[in-house]
Amino acid sequence: MTTDTRTQAAPVAPQGPRPGPRRGSRSSRLRWLLFAIGLVLALATVFPLLWMVLGSFKTAEEVNSPQLIPSTFTLDNYVYVFSQVPFARYLFNSFFVSAAVTVIALWFHSMAAYALARLRFPGREKIFLGIFATMLVSAPVTIIPTFIIVRTLGMVDSYAGLIVPAIFNAFGIFLLRQFYVSLPDELEEAALVDGASYWKIYWSIVLPLSRPILAALAVFFFLANWNSFVWPMTVTSDPHLRVVQLGIQSFQQQYAADWNYILAAATVAALPTLGIFFVFQKQIVASIKTSGLK
């Protein structure tokens, strides 16, 4: 008796799609690539500043050497800058002009921005468009008409000639208006119901809420006027009114071969800008987020 033995094939498990490369490894490689690019850009940005600071401590014989770190650190360059040149006067002029422009500009810009954002009056949008259109005009185009106006008003070679033209800036009005537009209407309506005037609302409600954006604008205005060069050179010829950037330029002309003195003066001029930026960098980021600018 023969038995028919049938062999049955074992069931084959269904094959799914082949696993591709892990997303985690791909994203990690991308992060390392971005980190490397950021590191290269950071080094390229920091290296000139590092070279300037270290070069200010070098001697006249060593300042032109390719060696980055000086063999002997010396403070004679800073002593010479403040003793033989009226560099402290240049620093005072720059600080006074920058602080005055910053305070006055924030005061007028905040009032103008509040009126353009929260008050309703005929021609409001046209006025804002006219102010905004001035941002499209470059500074070299307006420097000659501005100088003619300043000369006509008798403000040449004076602090008023350095301060007054720098107060008017459409960027501050535009940025503050964008911030005020985003404020909820309920705050103003509740204050009006309580009998508060628009001035009271501006002073007691709007300004306290504007501290982040005002702090960021204060940094922008101060640094812009601290680093100003063309307009002070145009409107002043009195050495007692010379700002720090003009002082470095004249210092470079006088001591063209002594780079150790020039680097020391440039380092002193750069310290306030670096300090202000590092102290107020959080306010700058917060103002960009709250103003809706990306």
Side-chain angles (χ1 to χ4, degrees), residues 228-255:
S228 180
F229 177 78
V230 177
W231 178 248
M233 182 179 62
T234 304
V235 78
T236 59
S237 59
D238 188 358
H240 296 286
L241 295 175
R242 190 171 292 167
V243 296
V244 66
Q245 302 302 328
L246 289 180
I248 294 176
Q249 191 264 348
S250 63
F251 197 78
Q252 186 174 357
Q253 291 179 351
Q254 184 177 2
Y255 303 96

Side-chain angles (χ1 to χ4, degrees), residues 49-88:
L49 180 64
L50 183 63
W51 182 84
M52 178 186 68
V53 174
L54 293 177
S56 65
F57 294 100
K58 294 180 179 180
T59 60
E61 295 78 12
E62 194 181 4
V63 68
N64 293 321
S65 65
Q67 184 179 356
L68 180 62
I69 300 176
S71 58
T72 57
F73 284 83
T74 178
L75 296 176
D76 295 339
N77 301 326
Y78 293 94
V79 174
Y80 185 89
V81 166
F82 282 99
S83 60
Q84 302 298 325
V85 181
F87 205 74

Side-chain angles (χ1 to χ4, degrees), residues 107-121 124 172-173 176-178 180-181 183 188 191-192 196-203 205-207 210:
W107 176 256
F108 285 108
H109 288 194
S110 60
M111 289 192 294
Y114 175 72
L116 293 172
R118 313 300 296 184
L119 304 183
R120 297 186 180 275
F121 54 89
R124 183 185 68 170
I173 298 176
L176 285 169
R177 179 189 178 274
Q178 295 303 109
Y180 292 155
V181 168
L183 294 179
E188 188 173 354
L192 290 173
S197 62
Y198 284 111
W199 176 259
K200 183 68 174 178
I201 296 172
Y202 162 77
W203 184 260
I205 298 177
V206 175
L207 280 185
S210 307

